[in-house]
Amino acid sequence: MRRLAVEDAAGQPELWAAVSPVPKRAPHYLGHRDRLRDRALAGGLSALPDYELLELLLFRAIPRGDVKPLAKGLLARFGSLAAVLGASADELKTVSGVGETAALELKLVQEAALRAAKTALAKRPVISSWSALLAYVKQALAHEAREQFRVLFLDKKNQLIADEVMNRGTVDHAPVYPREVARRALELSASAVILVHNHPSGDPTPSAADVDMTRQVAEALKALRIAIHDHLVAGRDGVASFKALGLI
């Protein structure tokens, strides 16, 4: 019986054959980074869709792995490339896969864009650079999750002295203190101001409270002979001008 068992086993050589390992397939994203970089260099960054531009940004923060799902996830979460860059670091980190390094990388891009936009206003009369001003205001505030009130202080030549955040608030309100605006204008020797705030709802249409607040600030500045050139309200849908609407 023992011999029979041996003979039976020997008669089935496949039982003794070495099992060939199943070859592993390379990850589908292998080489994707190099291909994407090559396409960016060959065709220009403007030819890339938003998610691929985000991928390129994320390559530096996440040196290995497939970041395409993360890029698409960010766009799905925030709605647009501008909204992704405008989101706070804490908001970015709510997306799975985004850590401190990736959030910092995206915020660096936003800050660089803001500084570039602000440079377009430097040493030039703001009134004659209106399109640049609107672009800067939209870049700075359109995607802020909380309402923010800031003031652009101008000199006698209507050149920008300072752009300062006077207060931050909630999703639908930022307290404004007219005396603080007047005090700061005196400290900076400003001759005029442009008030700016945002509507996180996305609709830049001024509210009745916005109109009343503007009137109070105007009264506080009038005694100091400091003019309000405009009040701009930024939202995802655009920038509204009090002056253009006949509210100033």
Side-chain angles (χ1 to χ4, degrees), residues 140-218:
L141 288 173
H143 297 283
E144 281 286 329
R146 294 180 179 274
E147 194 161 306
Q148 185 182 118
F149 175 71
R150 60 204 299 168
V151 180
L152 307 183
F153 297 95
L154 311 177
D155 64 15
K156 292 180 180 180
K157 296 180 180 179
N158 285 322
Q159 293 181 349
L160 184 65
I161 299 173
D163 167 17
E164 295 187 356
V165 177
M166 302 298 291
N167 225 319
R168 290 183 172 89
T170 63
V171 293
D172 60 2
H173 176 68
V176 178
Y177 304 103
R179 290 184 181 179
E180 285 299 304
V181 177
R183 179 189 62 79
R184 188 61 179 145
L186 284 176
E187 289 177 351
L188 294 170
S189 299
S191 296
V193 300
I194 295 175
L195 308 180
V196 182
H197 83 281
N198 64 304
H199 283 175
S201 67
D203 181 3
T205 304
S207 66
D210 294 338
V211 175
D212 184 57
M213 177 266 286
T214 305
R215 179 186 57 78
Q216 292 180 41
V217 175

Side-chain angles (χ1 to χ4, degrees), residues 96-149:
S96 179
V98 178
E100 292 283 352
T101 304
L104 176 60
E105 193 74 23
L106 295 173
K107 294 314 298 176
L108 282 172
V109 176
Q110 168 74 352
E111 182 61 25
L114 279 175
R115 294 192 185 195
K118 192 172 183 178
T119 299
L121 299 175
K123 298 182 180 180
R124 296 172 58 189
V126 170
I127 303 302
S128 64
S129 309
W130 204 249
S131 60
L133 173 63
L134 295 181
Y136 170 67
V137 167
K138 188 171 184 179
Q139 178 81 32
L141 288 173
H143 297 283
E144 281 286 329
R146 294 180 179 274
E147 194 161 306
Q148 185 182 118
F149 175 71

Side-chain angles (χ1 to χ4, degrees), residues 78-102:
F78 295 103
S80 69
L81 179 59
V84 171
L85 298 178
S88 69
D90 287 340
E91 289 170 330
L92 290 169
K93 287 186 288 185
T94 63
V95 177
S96 179
V98 178
E100 292 283 352
T101 304

Side-chain angles (χ1 to χ4, degrees), residues 3-116:
R3 184 181 54 173
L4 179 61
V6 171
E7 288 174 352
D8 286 346
Q12 302 177 40
E14 67 275 6
L15 295 178
W16 303 96
V19 178
S20 300
V22 178
K24 293 183 178 180
R25 295 182 61 184
H28 68 88
Y29 55 82
L30 190 65
H32 172 67
R33 294 188 177 215
D34 289 336
R35 291 192 296 271
L36 182 53
R37 290 189 182 101
D38 289 343
R39 283 201 295 112
L41 290 171
L45 293 172
S46 61
L48 299 180
D50 288 351
Y51 77 88
E52 289 189 334
L53 199 63
L54 262 181
E55 281 188 80
L56 286 169
L57 292 175
L58 292 168
F59 284 171
R60 289 167 52 86
I62 305 173
R64 285 177 294 278
D66 185 11
V67 296
K68 182 187 291 186
L70 178 55
K72 290 186 174 182
L74 282 164
L75 289 171
R77 164 69 173 79
F78 295 103
S80 69
L81 179 59
V84 171
L85 298 178
S88 69
D90 287 340
E91 289 170 330
L92 290 169
K93 287 186 288 185
T94 63
V95 177
S96 179
V98 178
E100 292 283 352
T101 304
L104 176 60
E105 193 74 23
L106 295 173
K107 294 314 298 176
L108 282 172
V109 176
Q110 168 74 352
E111 182 61 25
L114 279 175
R115 294 192 185 195

